[in-house]
Amino acid sequence: MKKYNTKRDFNKTSEPIGKKAKSGKKLRFVVQHHLARRDHYDLRLEYDGALKSFAVPKGPSYNSKDRRLAVQVEDHPLDYRNFEGTIPKGEYGGGTVMLWDEGYWESVTKPNFNSGSFKFILKGKRLKGCWNLVHFKEDNWLLIKEEDEYYEYEDINEFNKSIRTNRTMEEIEKGTKKKKNIKNILSKIKITNPTKLIYKKSKITKLDVLKYYEKVADRMLPFLENRIISTIRCPEGIEGNIFFKKHLETKSKGIKEIKLQNNNNKKEDYYYITDVTGLLAEAQMNSIEFHIWGSKVKKLEKPDLMVFDLDPDEKLDLKKLRQGVKDLKSILDGFNLKSYLKTSGGKGYHIVVPIKESVSWEEFRGIAKNIAKLMEAKWPDKYTSNMRKDKRKGKIFIDWVRNTRGSTSVAPYSLRARENAPISFPIKWSELDKIKPNEITIKNAIKSLKRVDPWKDFFDN
């Protein structure tokens, strides 16, 4: 890895630092589309704890008559198979990198990465079947497709989006710029007591919390910004004094106040976040959980986010809870209401419905209540719309009450002030039976962020 590391300045590039690792029983491969000084594809085959790497200027071809030049370059670390982003201009390999294909490979003839030739099988999502690498001089090889059932299978030019994140090159570049701006903002915020333990048993510090919100900001802000918020603050960590904050105390960049009349006809100062600076400033002030209104400040009386919290009796098993989620989705589907799923970070799941039609808070609350009542009427032994604890024995409470003016629900991607730092995290419907309500935590969330955003089309018209 010495050659790999000496070519890169890791203070400038977000590529992984090169270190040899142990290969697994199944060998992985990745192809990265690399829009550098010259557009090309990088084929990387896992072997002996590293990625044997070849730059293929024209990319792989399924036509066995095509002899594609493949220039062998330095070995890359195994972690490089997860790299997607933009290498800064002026740095080695400067340009945008897309994860174009990935999977496993098997050798047909003994691999020799020094000379000669060898055959191998690719089991990717876009590249499949038998291929040949043929050495002809110095670092130059030829990549040739073997004639098999996949011969002339696909035209690679059809694939212009990431296999992992479904982003185009342009979207990847924009995303990198956003992340860079967010990192710059974090470096400007004065973080007091960065080593303070917020989650003592899990050894999660205040700096860890801020770094999490920095990484997740791009996905979280569309749901958080310009909505009145309440936060759960933990100045002494989650085991100390915790309080619910919904009125503005400290002014900061990225935070604005709004005056609202309370039940006693007195005006109170509420507040909302307008950008990433406000999010990180709140986290610096020990706000761990973020709870949001169902409407935006510019359309305060026109709610657009309907939330159902499936809150099970403590003795109810997970299988029944998951069935409850499916039952509620079937009701919503029946009304042609597109719904999205997230973990609660506690013991239940949340279903969120974007409301496109312009309705009042009273109508909005009535719709949510009627959906919960319909669940209760259809399956009276399984669900209740009544929040009283004694009414939910052996049942799931379909909490619709948060769809009321002034009520809040926990924001997507918000941490919870509970042990292990679980997150209310958006997931695919297909993941319901695989992911527990409190399974995604600050320690494993970043891995989930590298996948396609399951709520990507949430705000589409």
Side-chain angles (χ1 to χ4, degrees):
M1 292 291 134
K2 191 176 178 183
K3 190 175 180 183
Y4 168 89
N5 286 331
T6 53
K7 287 186 172 189
R8 290 161 177 83
D9 182 348
F10 296 104
N11 291 317
K12 293 178 181 176
T13 180
S14 58
E15 295 165 281
I17 294 170
K19 46 191 174 188
K20 210 164 182 184
K22 196 175 179 181
S23 284
K25 287 182 182 177
K26 290 174 80 176
L27 297 174
R28 291 162 291 198
F29 87 90
V30 67
V31 176
Q32 284 154 317
H33 188 180
H34 192 169
L35 197 55
R37 188 167 50 89
R38 288 181 182 172
D39 189 1
H40 67 279
Y41 292 76
D42 292 309
L43 169 66
R44 309 194 194 280
L45 303 172
E46 178 180 0
Y47 191 76
D48 194 23
L51 293 172
K52 297 291 181 181
S53 297
F54 298 83
V56 185
K58 291 185 179 179
S61 171
Y62 269 102
N63 187 342
S64 63
K65 291 175 184 173
D66 289 339
R67 270 105 173 103
R68 290 289 164 89
L69 176 66
V71 181
Q72 190 169 12
V73 297
E74 75 279 5
D75 289 356
H76 284 51
L78 291 184
D79 281 352
Y80 210 92
R81 67 189 176 83
N82 297 315
F83 177 69
E84 181 172 276
T86 302
I87 302 166
K89 199 175 178 181
E91 293 303 297
Y92 176 73
T96 304
V97 176
M98 171 199 284
L99 287 164
W100 186 85
D101 195 20
E102 62 182 348
Y104 295 93
W105 74 280
E106 295 173 359
S107 56
V108 177
T109 59
K110 190 177 179 181
N112 184 346
F113 289 96
N114 297 317
S115 61
S117 66
F118 65 93
K119 287 183 185 180
F120 56 98
I121 293 169
L122 292 180
K123 296 180 178 180
K125 289 166 186 171
R126 293 172 179 171
L127 296 184
K128 301 173 189 289
C130 192
W131 300 73
N132 294 275
L133 269 171
V134 181
H135 183 253
F136 67 96
K137 66 171 183 179
E138 297 170 347
D139 293 327
N140 296 328
W141 298 65
L142 294 173
L143 179 65
I144 307 165
K145 180 76 189 74
E146 187 87 355
E147 286 193 27
D148 58 14
E149 68 266 41
Y150 298 107
Y151 172 56
E152 292 186 340
Y153 176 66
E154 294 281 7
D155 174 7
I156 68 160
N157 294 314
E158 289 178 11
F159 304 112
N160 62 356
K161 288 188 175 182
S162 166
I163 200 77
R164 196 91 65 84
T165 63
N166 203 35
R167 296 184 297 175
T168 62
M169 283 292 204
E170 191 180 2
E171 287 170 332
I172 292 165
E173 194 174 351
K174 282 180 184 174
T176 307
K177 282 176 182 173
K178 270 188 185 177
K179 282 180 182 174
K180 194 176 178 183
N181 290 340
I182 291 166
K183 277 189 175 175
N184 289 341
I185 290 164
L186 182 60
S187 66
K188 288 172 189 173
I189 289 174
K190 188 182 177 185
I191 305 169
T192 56
N193 301 324
T195 58
K196 178 169 69 180
L197 287 173
I198 302 296
Y199 298 84
K200 200 173 278 185
K201 286 181 186 173
S202 312
K203 294 185 166 52
I204 296 163
T205 66
K206 183 176 178 178
L207 184 59
D208 293 330
V209 169
L210 272 126
K211 281 186 173 177
Y212 165 74
Y213 279 123
E214 171 237 312
K215 286 189 174 85
V216 86
D218 198 26
R219 285 200 190 175
M220 186 179 186
L221 278 169
F223 301 94
L224 186 70
E225 63 191 355
N226 300 316
R227 291 181 190 273
I228 293 173
I229 63 166
S230 303
T231 70
I232 290 182
R233 282 196 170 175
C234 307
E236 299 162 7
I238 65 163
E239 293 170 340
N241 184 30
I242 293 177
F243 60 95
F244 201 67
K245 174 186 170 287
K246 61 181 185 177
H247 301 297
L248 184 67
E249 292 171 353
T250 311
K251 290 189 178 181
S252 170
K253 281 185 180 177
I255 293 173
K256 288 189 177 178
E257 64 181 316
I258 181 170
K259 290 185 184 292
L260 293 182
Q261 220 159 357
N262 64 19
N263 295 333
N264 300 320
N265 292 324
K266 287 185 179 177
K267 289 204 168 180
E268 291 184 296
D269 293 336
Y270 290 81
Y271 72 115
Y272 59 97
I273 284 167
T274 59
D275 57 31
V276 65
T277 313
L279 170 61
L280 297 178
E282 271 297 307
Q284 149 58 25
M285 292 293 288
N286 301 299
S287 285
I288 304 303
E289 288 191 20
F290 291 83
H291 296 250
I292 55 174
W293 271 43
S295 62
K296 289 205 161 190
V297 288
K298 285 188 179 175
K299 291 183 178 178
L300 209 59
E301 306 307 327
K302 301 294 178 187
D304 61 358
L305 277 187
M306 188 174 283
V307 181
F308 295 95
D309 178 2
L310 284 88
D311 191 359
D313 175 25
E314 288 179 8
K315 292 178 183 175
L316 207 71
D317 66 44
L318 190 54
K319 191 177 177 182
K320 287 181 180 175
L321 172 63
R322 284 170 169 158
Q323 185 56 49
V325 174
K326 292 168 189 173
D327 287 344
L328 179 50
K329 184 179 188 294
S330 72
I331 297 280
L332 294 167
D333 288 348
F335 289 117
N336 292 320
L337 289 170
K338 189 164 185 184
S339 56
Y340 296 79
L341 178 66
K342 67 183 173 84
T343 62
S344 67
K347 58 183 180 178
Y349 292 96
H350 294 165
I351 294 180
V352 186
V353 183
I355 301 295
K356 308 296 182 187
E357 299 299 321
S358 183
V359 295
S360 67
W361 272 109
E362 191 179 349
E363 291 170 308
F364 186 74
R365 188 177 190 272
I367 293 166
K369 183 178 181 179
N370 287 337
I371 288 169
K373 287 275 187 190
L374 183 57
M375 286 276 289
E376 186 178 48
K378 198 169 181 180
W379 299 284
D381 57 328
K382 292 163 73 175
Y383 311 116
T384 178
S385 63
N386 195 316
M387 69 170 66
R388 280 174 51 186
K389 289 272 185 186
D390 61 324
K391 295 289 183 185
R392 67 175 90 168
K393 199 171 181 184
K395 296 180 183 180
I396 298 168
F397 169 44
I398 310 297
D399 185 354
W400 56 273
V401 185
R402 56 195 67 244
N403 299 297
T404 305
R405 190 184 189 278
S407 295
T408 60
S409 62
V410 67
Y413 301 102
S414 173
L415 287 165
R416 306 306 303 266
R418 296 168 184 170
E419 199 47 60
N420 293 324
I423 300 164
S424 186
F425 203 93
I427 59 174
K428 296 180 201 169
W429 281 108
S430 59
E431 293 174 313
L432 172 61
D433 291 327
K434 300 170 191 170
I435 297 174
K436 293 175 184 174
N438 62 354
E439 190 172 326
I440 299 179
T441 70
I442 197 171
K443 291 188 175 176
N444 59 27
I446 303 308
K447 189 178 177 183
S448 297
L449 286 171
K450 288 175 179 173
R451 298 179 302 167
V452 177
D453 180 359
W455 288 22
K456 192 177 181 183
D457 62 347
F458 191 93
F459 293 108
D460 290 356
N461 292 322

